[in-house]
Amino acid sequence: MPSETKLFETYGKNSNDLIVLIAKRVKVIEDFIAFGNVCKSWRVAATKENFDVFALQVPLLLLADKNDDYREFYSLSKQKVLCMYLPEARGQESFASQGWIFTYNNTGEMNLLHPFSLAQIPLPDLFASQGRREGLFRRGCMDDAILSVRPSLTSDYVLLIFYWGGGGNPLSFWRPGNLNWTNIIEQWGGDAFTGINYYKGQFYYVSWSAEVWAFDVPGHVPIEQCLLVQLEADMPCHNSRLFYLVELFGALLLVIQLFGDNDVIVGRKGGYKTLKFKVFELDVIKGELKEEITNLGESAIFVGHNRASSVDTSMFTVVKPNHIYFVDDWYEYFNALEGGRVHRRDLVTCNLEEGKIEAFYPGVSLSPICRQLGLHHHSDN
């Protein structure tokens, strides 16, 4: 490695080249974000081209919007909140997927935003796609947004959005080059669904009636879907559970979060409290659920608002093995806030083997704008 003196002898006449060289040596994403926040010239050097995007990283947790030009992320490795300059996301509801952030507002404007390069991909007008100009969008109507693969790596990707409006629960998709969104949920009917994930060339989801389905998006309609698994009939009712699908070492796992009403459990008005998790492996070939998994070994799972990812904890001492990191959500009514309603999310872990649940984020996240916290797996840039 060149000495510090040699570096300055080589690059002293061009400070910008030296700043870029230093940026390329920063391997931890949290340090890279801090590097870019120092000043304008350092921010110019802190681009994704100067960072090893394939380096293993601990997921950042995207906190609620505060309606300013910065978005906050909680760093497990630093155990503190990081601020990132993202004026493009101000006042927008946000969903993280594949290292990008899907943003939208109540006018229907939508974009894909890369949080480090600030590159944006404008998306078609969903109003026009649905053949209507008003009454479709409002705060909190968007439920999820999922990318099949990283737009940074290929233009052959699919973006799915699931939202509430027009008297139903539409699921629409868009591909680069398409002028409009294509609504596909109306072909299927049935109940709403959650836990959508992309796995080995297909999208998978779990319906509220506890059915696991698979489908692909070949670029045309109608789109065929296949029932993979019907879960047990004695599964708790739909308002006492959440489903997630996550890939772990090549296998697709079903994670079930079981919770109860805070009014009953702790007397706190509004929202729910998590009681426990159950994890199963899905056999996508045979279409069956394998035995329950009670030990994740050296792995940990992160879940947050319909999204899940896994981490090998042997690579990161700050992440606890055999734990599920999740969002325990509730809300309260505050007369001092415009609209009266504010959403809160507590960041918590669950020891899967012992069932012990405890908080790992010392603060709270309150927002009248962004109703959920997101999981931003920043190694997917």
Side-chain angles (χ1 to χ4, degrees):
M1 180 180 294
S3 67
E4 181 178 320
T5 302
K6 185 65 175 177
L7 287 176
F8 277 93
E9 287 178 354
T10 305
Y11 296 98
K13 294 182 179 180
N14 191 333
S15 60
N16 289 336
D17 289 346
L18 179 58
I19 293 172
V20 169
L21 182 65
I22 296 173
K24 288 182 177 180
R25 296 190 173 198
V26 180
K27 300 301 181 183
V28 179
I29 191 63
E30 289 89 335
D31 295 336
F32 196 72
I33 294 172
F35 180 92
N37 285 336
V38 171
C39 62
K40 182 178 180 181
S41 61
W42 288 36
R43 186 179 301 128
V44 171
T47 65
K48 67 185 182 70
E49 289 78 16
N50 295 330
F51 184 75
D52 183 2
V53 298
F54 296 104
L56 294 175
Q57 305 285 339
V58 179
L60 288 176
L61 301 171
L62 177 62
L63 301 179
D65 187 287
K66 292 187 175 179
N67 199 25
D68 58 24
D69 288 340
Y70 291 84
R71 287 304 302 265
E72 293 182 337
F73 297 79
Y74 182 71
S75 166
L76 280 169
S77 61
K78 301 294 183 181
Q79 296 187 353
K80 66 179 183 180
V81 174
L82 304 177
C83 290
M84 188 180 298
Y85 183 64
L86 288 174
E88 295 82 359
R90 180 171 184 169
Q92 311 281 319
E93 293 208 42
S94 307
F95 297 85
S97 180
Q98 297 285 357
W100 288 68
I101 299 176
F102 170 86
T103 65
Y104 91 97
N105 56 39
N106 58 1
T107 69
E109 179 183 350
M110 298 178 177
N111 291 281
L112 284 172
L113 171 65
H114 194 284
F116 305 129
S117 68
L118 299 185
Q120 288 196 83
I121 300 174
L123 301 170
D125 185 339
L126 187 62
F127 287 140
S129 300
Q130 301 298 326
R132 56 201 306 162
R133 293 304 310 170
E134 58 185 31
L136 179 63
F137 267 78
R138 63 184 186 278
R139 290 289 185 197
C141 75
M142 187 66 64
D143 202 55
D144 208 355
I146 312 98
L147 283 163
S148 59
V149 294
R150 288 171 271 177
S152 308
L153 299 182
T154 178
S155 60
D156 185 18
Y157 63 88
V158 176
L159 173 64
L160 286 177
I161 57 172
F162 176 46
Y163 54 97
W164 306 82
N169 312 128
L171 174 71
S172 296
F173 77 88
W174 174 82
R175 286 180 179 273
N178 289 1
L179 298 179
N180 294 300
W181 293 89
T182 301
N183 192 327
I184 57 179
I185 191 62
E186 291 177 352
Q187 304 171 38
W188 302 338
D191 56 8
F193 49 89
T194 185
I196 309 173
N197 212 336
Y198 189 77
Y199 172 74
K200 294 186 177 181
Q202 286 192 307
F203 287 96
Y204 292 79
Y205 73 88
V206 186
S207 70
W208 280 104
S209 56
E211 297 173 335
V212 182
W213 294 81
F215 68 96
D216 59 14
V217 182
H220 57 79
V221 292
I223 293 175
E224 299 290 336
Q225 64 168 345
C226 174
L227 177 61
L228 187 65
V229 174
Q230 171 68 63
L231 302 182
E232 297 177 4
D234 61 352
M235 183 70 61
C237 62
H238 67 81
N239 60 351
S240 300
R241 69 196 183 205
L242 286 175
F243 298 109
Y244 307 91
L245 294 171
V246 59
E247 184 175 355
L248 180 65
F249 294 121
L252 185 62
L253 305 186
L254 170 68
V255 180
I256 306 173
Q257 180 179 1
L258 302 174
F259 51 92
D261 194 319
N262 266 328
D263 289 349
V264 176
I265 299 173
V266 295
R268 185 173 62 183
K269 184 173 178 59
Y272 304 89
K273 183 175 180 62
T274 297
L275 302 177
K276 64 178 179 178
F277 283 86
K278 298 172 74 70
V279 181
F280 301 87
E281 181 180 347
L282 285 166
D283 189 325
V284 298
I285 303 300
K286 296 181 179 180
E288 62 184 24
L289 209 61
K290 295 186 176 181
E291 291 185 4
E292 183 177 357
I293 298 172
T294 58
N295 196 318
L296 299 173
E298 292 298 311
S299 297
I301 293 175
F302 288 75
V303 300
H305 193 75
N306 290 343
R307 193 61 43 77
S309 71
S310 60
V311 169
D312 182 357
T313 65
S314 65
M315 306 294 292
F316 310 104
T317 58
V318 296
V319 183
K320 299 177 181 179
N322 197 35
H323 277 66
I324 296 178
Y325 288 74
F326 67 101
V327 177
D328 214 15
D329 55 5
W330 58 281
Y331 65 84
E332 287 184 348
Y333 288 86
F334 290 87
N335 294 328
L337 289 175
E338 183 179 355
R341 178 171 175 170
V342 64
H343 299 265
R344 166 175 171 161
R345 301 293 190 264
D346 295 334
L347 306 183
V348 193
T349 64
C350 174
N351 184 313
L352 189 59
E353 190 169 20
E354 299 176 359
K356 183 179 180 180
I357 294 176
E358 57 186 358
F360 66 88
Y361 172 57
V364 296
S365 189
L366 303 173
S367 175
I369 298 172
C370 192
R371 64 191 178 92
Q372 78 290 320
L373 281 83
L375 171 70
H376 186 69
H377 206 309
H378 46 72
S379 63
D380 291 332
N381 294 290

